Amino acid sequence: MKKADVKIGQILAATSEEELKHPFQGKVEKIYENSALLAITSYDPEDESSVNELNNKMVINFKNLKKVKSPARGKTAATNDVKISKVEPDKKDKESK
């Protein structure tokens, strides 16, 4: 794959012979000169411990990336979505004000 074909936010299939035993999918977070930073979104359950050690992210050379036709059926990594909700103050907090 060429650098011009890679876009931030795109889901791509990737391989890494050194870190993970099986192909995986990831969302492009950053593009470098010869590689891209992927947030791993789907992977083989056998690679779970390695994915956790990598904090669900990995830099992959463009030559090891492919376009995805359909989402993988492997294990899906948790996303880092943060949900914020308003918490009601305790009665003690209200009384002290």
Side-chain angles (χ1 to χ4, degrees):
M1 191 165 217
K2 296 179 183 177
K3 181 178 180 178
D5 298 331
V6 179
K7 308 287 183 228
I8 292 179
Q10 185 178 22
I11 302 291
L12 298 174
T15 57
S16 169
E17 297 159 4
E18 299 165 5
E19 300 290 336
L20 304 179
K21 296 177 185 175
H22 303 280
F24 62 95
Q25 290 184 0
K27 182 176 181 180
V28 178
E29 290 194 342
K30 192 169 185 176
I31 299 171
Y32 300 106
E33 194 62 37
N34 298 307
S35 58
L37 174 65
L38 300 182
I40 300 169
T41 57
S42 184
Y43 57 91
D44 190 282
E46 192 174 309
D47 290 327
E48 185 166 11
S49 63
S50 297
V51 170
N52 288 333
E53 287 176 20
L54 294 165
N55 293 321
N56 295 333
K57 294 189 182 193
M58 186 177 236
V59 176
I60 302 293
N61 191 301
F62 293 135
K63 67 182 179 183
N64 294 329
L65 296 175
K66 295 180 188 174
K67 290 193 176 188
V68 174
K69 294 179 183 172
S70 63
R73 295 182 181 160
K75 178 133 175 128
T76 302
T79 58
N80 293 334
D81 293 337
V82 176
K83 298 197 184 333
I84 300 172
S85 59
K86 187 174 180 179
V87 178
E88 291 294 322
D90 292 341
K91 287 183 178 182
K92 292 179 183 178
D93 292 338
K94 286 182 181 178
E95 292 172 0
S96 65
K97 290 184 180 181

